[in-house]
Amino acid sequence: MKAFKLENEPKIETGFKTPENYFENFSVSLLEKLPQNEPKTISLFARNRKTFIAAAAVLVIALTVPIVNKYVTKSKELDEATLETYLSYQSNLIQYDLIHELDTNDIKNLDKNIALGDDTIEDLLSSNANIEHLILE
């Protein structure tokens, strides 16, 4: 094989050449090619006024609904099921604490609501095997 030396071989020309004074006159020629009149600008608000108003209304409603929902007054009264569930899951609460908190009006209201006849009480006592426990309470 023959020895290959880069310095001795003829060089190949690239084929790309820049015209004379290209970089000196580049900015002037570029400015000549640009259009002289400036384009007309259209405002976003003027073009789609109805669309902008509708989008603003939706945005206001979307931001207002959670705030209004948070501050709407809810009913302060408890229903019976919620109160009964709360009291049943309180482990440190016994019936004597509840009885101690009742006043005479509450006891009268309880008497009106509970309508037990003698037959109902007799059936309850006869069907319950733990009568002594009920009598002591």
Side-chain angles (χ1 to χ4, degrees):
M1 190 166 200
K2 195 170 157 187
F4 182 75
K5 295 185 181 180
L6 288 174
E7 291 85 24
N8 296 340
E9 295 296 320
K11 305 270 183 194
I12 299 174
E13 295 291 326
T14 61
F16 297 107
K17 294 182 181 180
T18 58
E20 292 181 18
N21 298 327
Y22 177 77
F23 293 108
E24 289 83 13
N25 298 332
F26 179 74
S27 62
V28 175
S29 65
L30 180 66
L31 289 175
E32 288 175 358
K33 292 178 184 177
L34 290 177
Q36 297 299 325
N37 58 351
E38 295 200 15
K40 182 180 175 184
T41 58
I42 300 172
S43 174
L44 176 67
F45 304 112
R47 192 174 87 184
N48 292 330
R49 189 166 196 89
K50 290 180 182 178
T51 306
F52 176 72
I53 291 172
V58 168
L59 182 67
V60 166
I61 290 172
L63 292 176
T64 306
V65 167
I67 295 170
V68 170
N69 193 17
K70 181 179 180 182
Y71 291 110
V72 169
T73 57
K74 296 181 180 174
S75 175
K76 301 287 182 185
E77 296 179 17
L78 294 175
D79 60 338
E80 292 177 12
T82 306
L83 184 58
E84 185 177 342
T85 306
Y86 174 75
L87 293 176
S88 66
Y89 286 115
Q90 295 299 318
S91 62
N92 59 354
L93 186 65
I94 57 174
Q95 66 184 8
Y96 297 111
D97 293 335
L98 292 175
I99 292 170
H100 181 65
E101 293 297 323
L102 294 176
D103 59 358
T104 56
N105 290 334
D106 294 332
I107 294 172
K108 287 180 184 176
N109 288 338
L110 286 174
D111 286 340
K112 289 179 185 176
N113 292 338
I114 300 174
L116 292 176
D118 292 336
D119 296 334
T120 309
I121 295 173
E122 188 177 322
D123 289 339
L124 181 66
L125 291 174
S126 66
S127 65
N128 194 345
N130 207 356
I131 295 175
E132 292 84 19
H133 181 67
L134 292 175
I135 293 172
L136 291 175
E137 284 189 13

